[in-house]
Structures are given as C-alpha cells and as structure tokens.
Amino acid sequence: MPISYLEESHIFAIRTARSSYLFGINDSGTVQHLYWGSPVHAGDCADLLRAKHHSSFDAAVDRETEEYGGWGGLLYAEPALKVTFGDGVRDLLLRYDGYLMDKPEELVIRLADEYYALKVNLHYRVFPEFDLIERYVTITNGEPSAVRIEQAMSAIWSVLSLPAYRLTHVTGRWAGEYQLRSDVLSEGKKVLESRRGFTGPHANPWFAIDDGTASETSGHVWFGALGWSGNWKIAAEKTTFGHLRVSGGINDFDGSFAIAPGESYTSPVFTGGFCENGFGGMSRQLHRYQKAAILPGSRERKVLYNSWEATEFAVNVQDQKVLAHKAARIGVERFVVDDGWFGARNSDRAGLGDWQVNPQKFPKGLNELIDEVKSLGMDFGIWVEPESVNPDSDLYRAHPEWVYQFPTRAGSQLRNQLLLNLGLPEVKQFVLDFMTNLLSSYDISFIKWDMNRTVTEPGIADERQQREHSDWIRHVNNLYEIWGELRRRFPNVEFETCAGGGARIDLGILRFADQAWISDNTDALDRLHIQEGFTYAYDPSVMMCWVTESPHGMNGRRLPLSFRFHSAMMGGLGIGANIDRWSEDELAEAKDYVEQYKRIRLITMHGDLYRLSSLRHSNVAACQYVARDGQESVVFAFQNAQHFGAWERRLTLQGLDPDALYEVDAGDGRAVTQHGSTLMQVGVALGFSGDGQSRMIRIARVER
Ligand code: GLA
C-alpha cells in the first residue's frame, strides 16, 4: 500500500519504491509537512509533529511547513491560497477536515475554513514505481456569495533540512531555449514564471533541488514539473528557519477570479519527485512517468521532412512535389507543409486566420500534393496556427471583436499578428470547426500546431462584455478542450506542439501532444545544448530535431552531415534543409543515416536516457539510450572542437549489466566484444581527431 494513515500519531505516510513523503495533523488541526526523501519508518517520526515554538516574534513558525497554507493568521510565507470572501474578509484559516482514500494510490485530504463554507481538497496521486506524486487541489465554494481567488497554487513541495539548497532550472529565449542554470539559494524567494499567456521560452515550469553536491550520477534530487500551458509561477522560498518551500501553480499575476456559490475550481497538476541517483536518475524517472501517464500515445516516431526552411512562405505545388520526391528517395516517411499554404499568406504580414487553401499556390487544390506524397509512400502533415490572426485577413475583417483587446487601446502586434480570444465560445467553436473541416476534407496524418506570439491586452473589445481576469485561464482550458476533442474525432492524427520554437512545452500540453518542436534553432551544435536542457525535464521521445543546412543560417557554422544527423537522431528525426540543392552524394549519405535511424529509433523512443558527457563541462557531448529490456543500447558522441593536441578520449558508458557481454559497433569497423563492466569503467575509445566530429555507437548484448 503506497499510502497509509497512522491513527495514533496522526501521520499520513506515502511510500514509493525509493522515497517516503510524510505529513501529519498537528494539535491546531493544521496539515503539517514533515519529511520527504529517502525511505524512513513513518512510525518513528511522531515527534516531528510537535509544535515548534520559537519566540513571540515568530509565533507558530511550524506553519512554515504547512502542506497547503491559506493566507491568514500568522502565515507570512508564500501562501498556497489567498481569497476574499463575499463580505470582504480576506483571512483564510484552513483546518483538517478528514480524508478519503478510494484507491490505493490516491489520497484526498479535506480542508475547510474555520468559519466560511469554503472547502479545499488536496489531491495526491502516487506513482510508486517512478517515486513521483501528482498533486492538485479542488476548491469548492459553499458560501451564498462568490469567493474571489487571488492565488491558488497547485501544491507546495517542502524540503526541510539541507545545509544548502541549490535550484536547477532552465531559462532561454527564442532560438536559445532550455539553457540549464544552477544556483544556491539564499533566504528569500526565487520566482520562475511566465506572464506571457503561454509556457514561454524564458523559463519552463520545472525545477530541481539538491544540496549543491548532486551530479549527473549521484546525490539526492527533489524535483517537480507543473502541467500548465498558460501563465504559471514556481516560487522557491528559503525561509529564515532553513526550510525550502517550492510552491507552484497558475500565476496569481493579473489572475484573480471568482468562484460562484456552489461551484468548484480545479487546479492544474504539479508533479513532484525524489531521486537518490542524481540528475540522470531524476530525468529517467520523469521520462518513464511521461511515457506511462502523460503522453497520449507511443507510436513509432516517423522520419519527417518539413519544407519550411527550404521554401518559407513561397509554397507552391510544383516545388513541394520536387521536395517530396527527394524526401521519399532518402527514406522520409512523412512530408509536412509548413506556414504559407493558405489564404493570402505570402509573408507573415497577411492571411493568418484564413484557413482556405491558396488557389494560386495550389490551382488544383491541396489533394494534388497530398496524392503525390501518398503515392511516394509518405504520410502528409500540415502546419496551422489557429489562435492567431493577421489584421490583414478576411477573418479579422469579419470578426475584429474576436481578438484580445482593451476597448480604449489599439493593441500590440507581434510578428504582425493579433491573438484570438480562445476563451470566447464562438472563437473556440470556429477553431474546432475549421480544424475538423481540414482534417475531414484531406488525408492528413499530422498537425504542427504553432503559436507565434504572446498574449497581450487580455481584454474583450466590446466593453459591455468586459469580464473578470480569468481570460488567461479560459484560453488554456479551451485550448486543451479543443486538442482533446480533435484527438477524439481524429484518433489517427498526430499532433506537435510548437510556439515559435519550444515556447509551449509542459506537462499540460504534453497530455495532448505526440511530439514537440523544441526550438527554431536547428544548428546541430547549439541543439546539443538545447536538447540536453530539454531532456532534464522532458522525454526525448517527443523531442523533434531537424537536419538543416551547413553553413547554418542562424550561426553561420559549418558542420558535416554526419554531425547534423547524429545530433538530430537523438530525438525524433526530421529533415528541414532544402534537399533539392543537395548533391547526389549528400542524398545518398542522408539515405544511409535515415536507414540507421530507423534501426535505432525504438531504443531512443522507448529506452532510458543516460547523459554521459556535456559540453557545459567538456569538449565532448554524449548521450546513451538503453532499451528497456537491456538488450541494446546506442550512444551518440560529439566533439565540438579539438584542443591542445590529440589525445584519446574514452567514454564510460552507463546502464549496462556489468557481467554481460556486449558487442560494440562504433561504425568504423572497430567492432569489439566486451563486458558491461569494462564498458562502464574503462570506457569506449571515441577516436576523435578534429572539430565537428561525431559518432553513433551501437551496443548489443551477446547471449552466451
Ligand atoms: C514558427 C515555427 C517555425 C515555423 C514558422 C512558420 O517560427 O517555430 O518552425 O513553423 O513559425 O511561420
């Protein structure tokens, strides 16, 4: 049983395979967090629940570790919940009001205000095999008047007794997403957040905490990821009593909303976990959890070609057909037309919102291209950006009132576009209808769903309809409902989440998305950094990577095709170059890599990822994927630059059986058979000499 209640000591104990999580009900009826970390005997921990008196100046400091504290009374830390009741009282005093345990892995702790009929249920869903707990809350208003919610976090994760707390998170910007940062926290708050209406490239709702000594392979790590694709906030607060509380949920900034009498609100899920084996172990737990409980499917990732970088907006049926023929020749399985196929979309200045096939570009309709693509043995995929509109579009001319706008303001344009208020029922219906029409009219197997601007001026043009601030939340909920409905209506269509690169990837949207476009930066070397940061939190099976041109358009960097392919083969392989310009030799080489990829993709998709070496600490980057049955493994290794004369770099592997024999094929005729222990302790010689080198090494267990 993963969850138990110790009646005598009033302690709830959550036990996963490799962790314990304890909280209890103290004398004042407060639910108090007690412990989270390596497994302990809950029965030994009764004294942790004792009131911790400090001084009259810091009364009830025990509340610092409240499991879910409302703002009121003596709480001065970041509150989990802040409300204003109908009579104007803003003081919330939540007390324990019983528990429910309908399923062995699920616990509901009921809290109620001392005076008002406001109930808060804390939900815990335990994943014992991944050492993870999903937490969220439901808030029910039993009062006769509306209750205003000013802040409602999904959960607070507490770590109580480390000598130092180091926070690891990702930051970035367009074309430079998922850059890792680590800092030891001093007292006060470090806030990671988005106020941009979507998850954002500047930060991502994932965190990891350690004592400053954890490494990729060792040390205790506490971590969490929030499933919300709108404004979010994660606040890591180190108190002056040496505790750390990490609260997370929908951002309270401009985010208050009302719960009507008799109604409830349910927060997004905030997943937390503990790992004894460093950041590598943490990532593998998160990856396995995402595969098992978040991602909608586990279909084999098809090799795709996307013509965006080749043609940009200059899409036409002839050029696309030429590209499709070349793509089929190198083994591509899915041909995707990106932006530019619809309306008057000849640049980013017009057409967005007019989802009719452009008759100049496709005089005989889109089926001419789809038929050609299908006859070449490939699937067809297409790009859409349903939430956006250019002012220069028929849609905007017909419905200027559909965009976010304050009545007295002109509104900001970004990439020459405005954003539709998806919270409006008529806008939601429009998006659902045109997508349904598109997917029922054509044989489309893949949708790349983009979102190329942030939310600004989140109001409604018609001031009579000016409503509460919860448009932020409604947009995201309606987006999820649309994706959910489209998946139900078109179960064979796969969806990719994209937002000007990787700005909308989180555990919320990933419940609906098969794959994710993690960055518009396709420079294979920059990608090693971006992909590394991405895999700290997210499963590489969703990570789409394209092979593009050299020299690269963004950085001017020249890299051989081998390096570009190997870098992209670590996730879902795509090709985004103008392959019509590739020589016969390049096409033949590409075909060979595509074939190699098809042989290893089940390992990268379903296996466990070990990050062996990082460009943050060395000139070699390397990742190893080990099949879940342990029979096969594949390693990708890269040397960005050679320094100070050649020396033989050996790469020690991970995740193998020390006593088993493995055949190691480095692709250069150097196949050897060695024990797992040798490969993990002595390592594999990489044989690199020079800049821009890379290698794919295949490892197969040999039966004796
Ligand atoms: C965004 C996407 C790109 C491409 C363009 C099209 O930037 O991230 O991959 O689809 O839009 O306009």
Side-chain angles (χ1 to χ4, degrees), residues 308 338-339 383 415 448 450 452 498 500-501 517 520:
W308 170 246
D338 209 277
D339 199 350
W383 177 97
R415 211 189 188 212
K448 173 177 173 184
D450 210 339
N452 281 318
C498 171
W517 182 233
D520 279 345

Side-chain angles (χ1 to χ4, degrees), residues 174-306:
W174 176 76
E177 300 88 341
Y178 302 101
Q179 303 298 305
L180 285 159
R181 297 286 184 273
S182 286
D183 268 313
V184 172
L185 298 168
S186 55
E187 286 74 3
K189 252 178 257 179
K190 165 90 179 178
V191 176
L192 311 173
E193 66 173 352
S194 166
R195 298 178 177 191
R196 293 161 202 263
F198 61 13
T199 326
H202 304 85
N204 188 274
W206 160 81
F207 74 90
I209 298 291
D210 74 300
D211 67 0
T213 65
S215 70
E216 190 63 22
T217 51
S218 70
H220 291 186
V221 182
W222 293 257
F223 54 94
L226 179 74
W228 186 243
S229 314
N231 287 352
W232 58 271
K233 176 168 112 174
I234 292 179
E237 179 173 19
K238 184 179 173 187
T239 72
T240 50
F241 290 91
H243 305 317
L244 185 75
R245 303 155 41 94
V246 185
S247 53
I250 292 181
N251 205 326
D252 55 310
F253 174 78
D254 193 44
S256 80
F257 60 94
I259 307 182
E263 306 245 304
S264 293
Y265 161 80
T266 300
S267 78
V269 173
F270 195 10
T271 304
F274 170 74
C275 177
E276 291 181 334
N277 306 313
F279 295 104
M282 166 202 71
S283 298
R284 286 186 290 282
Q285 281 169 224
L286 278 168
H287 299 166
R288 286 184 178 199
Y289 158 70
Q290 286 160 33
K291 286 185 179 77
I294 301 284
L295 297 172
S298 60
R299 273 177 279 206
E300 198 164 291
R301 199 63 67 233
K302 294 199 168 172
V303 178
L304 69 74
Y305 177 78
N306 180 302

Side-chain angles (χ1 to χ4, degrees), residues 6-51:
L6 283 61
E7 299 267 353
E8 264 176 35
S9 50
H10 309 294
I11 288 179
F12 287 90
I14 297 178
R15 180 64 200 260
T16 70
R18 288 147 302 224
S19 77
S20 289
Y21 185 99
L22 309 180
F23 57 89
I25 317 304
N26 69 17
D27 291 343
S28 50
T30 302
V31 182
Q32 189 180 320
H33 181 81
L34 300 176
Y35 173 82
W36 186 24
S38 294
V40 293
H41 291 277
D44 296 348
C45 298
D47 72 315
L48 292 177
L49 209 47
R50 264 186 332 197

Side-chain angles (χ1 to χ4, degrees), residues 132-144:
L132 290 171
I133 305 170
E134 284 185 349
R135 288 179 60 187
Y136 65 96
V137 294
T138 48
I139 304 167
T140 305
N141 178 13
E143 287 285 297

Side-chain angles (χ1 to χ4, degrees), residues 354-365:
D354 299 339
W355 301 105
Q356 295 81 35
V357 177
N358 180 304
Q360 282 80 44
K361 298 178 177 185
F362 295 93
K364 295 186 197 150

